[in-house]
Amino acid sequence: MKMFRKAMAICLALCLCLVFGGILFRIHIAEHYPGDTVRMVFTAPLTEYYNSKNGEITAETQNIRFPYDSAEDGNFFASGLIVVRDAGNLQVTVRYNESTLPRVAAFYGLSETPAPGEGLFRYTLTASYNTTEEGDDYRTYDAAYLSEDSAYMYRYGKLVFDGVDFEGAAWMRVDIYYGEETTPFGHICVYESRTSDGESIIDVPFSPYKIDKEDLPK
């Protein structure tokens, strides 16, 4: 009987270790981002602006209120917003689980599920400006830089947009397209300045972003 109880205690301890180990692993992979996908990228226009200011530039960040493209499925997730307004530069990182790919195939009516890999998606930035009485003025920006990486079951994309006009912008969203499809698979609002009725958003203020010295132009 003592041997049986001892064996049961050992089994229970092992089960608890596996459960807690699994939880810790899930937390790790949820918070893990490959280094190149979180660093600040200095494109040619941003580097030119940096040099013109003798390195004295101001970058900001903002917590993304709704970081998923879908409240139900949560296919794509956005984080790490970086904004350099005077340089017209916006940077953000998107991530998706490879389990999203069957939903992509179903959405577009593809004959088979795409194999995981780089170059599957393209991204644009759509900005809304409340500048006319008739309604919003929308402008679209193409990604000037895209770096992709993977870890575990996740795929990551570091996006940089140049030439962005922040003056009067109410919000900006990343539009996600599969391949050359013209209908976006999803959207994520990554930048908010004002609501659609023009009121300031005060619960998601911008805060200074500390630029890592390792990311500065050499």
Side-chain angles (χ1 to χ4, degrees):
M1 181 64 72
K2 289 184 178 179
M3 292 295 294
F4 175 75
R5 290 177 178 174
K6 186 175 181 180
M8 289 297 293
I10 293 174
C11 289
L12 179 59
L14 288 174
C15 288
L16 290 175
C17 287
L18 288 174
V19 170
F20 284 112
I23 293 174
L24 291 174
F25 178 71
R26 292 291 297 179
I27 293 174
H28 166 71
I29 62 176
E31 297 181 350
H32 173 74
Y33 282 79
D36 285 347
T37 63
V38 295
R39 69 185 183 87
M40 185 173 181
V41 175
F42 277 78
T43 57
L46 185 57
T47 299
E48 183 178 354
Y49 174 77
Y50 174 84
N51 291 332
S52 71
K53 297 296 181 179
N54 297 316
E56 298 295 327
I57 68 172
T58 299
E60 296 176 293
T61 187
Q62 180 186 50
N63 289 329
I64 300 174
R65 290 199 300 163
F66 306 107
Y68 290 98
D69 67 313
S70 168
E72 296 179 358
D73 298 322
N75 302 301
F76 283 78
F77 177 83
S79 63
L81 176 69
I82 305 173
V83 169
V84 185
R85 297 175 189 275
D86 292 341
N89 183 274
L90 183 147
Q91 310 190 13
V92 70
T93 299
V94 295
R95 181 185 74 183
Y96 69 92
N97 193 308
E98 292 177 354
S99 63
T100 293
L101 295 177
R103 290 192 286 273
V104 173
F107 180 84
Y108 288 108
L110 305 179
S111 59
E112 57 184 22
T113 299
E118 296 184 0
L120 291 181
F121 298 95
R122 59 186 178 86
Y123 307 89
T124 61
L125 184 72
T126 296
S128 171
Y129 302 85
N130 298 104
T131 56
T132 64
E133 294 181 358
E134 290 76 17
D136 291 347
D137 169 28
Y138 296 102
R139 304 174 205 171
T140 300
Y141 304 91
D142 293 324
Y145 174 94
L146 169 60
S147 176
E148 297 180 277
D149 208 335
S150 63
Y152 305 108
M153 72 285 290
Y154 289 110
R155 294 277 168 170
Y156 305 82
K158 172 70 177 188
L159 310 176
V160 182
F161 299 90
D162 281 321
V164 178
D165 183 5
F166 290 94
E167 184 67 28
W171 52 259
M172 300 183 186
R173 75 181 184 220
V174 170
D175 298 320
I176 304 157
Y177 299 84
Y178 171 72
E180 296 303 316
E181 296 286 349
T182 56
T183 301
F185 176 72
H187 320 271
I188 306 177
C189 186
V190 298
Y191 171 100
E192 292 181 280
S193 178
R194 291 177 287 121
T195 58
S196 59
D197 58 6
E199 295 183 359
S200 296
I201 294 182
I202 59 175
D203 56 337
V204 283
F206 287 89
S207 58
Y209 174 84
K210 185 177 180 181
I211 303 174
D212 193 317
K213 292 182 179 180
E214 295 295 322
D215 296 338
L216 295 174
K218 302 299 187 286

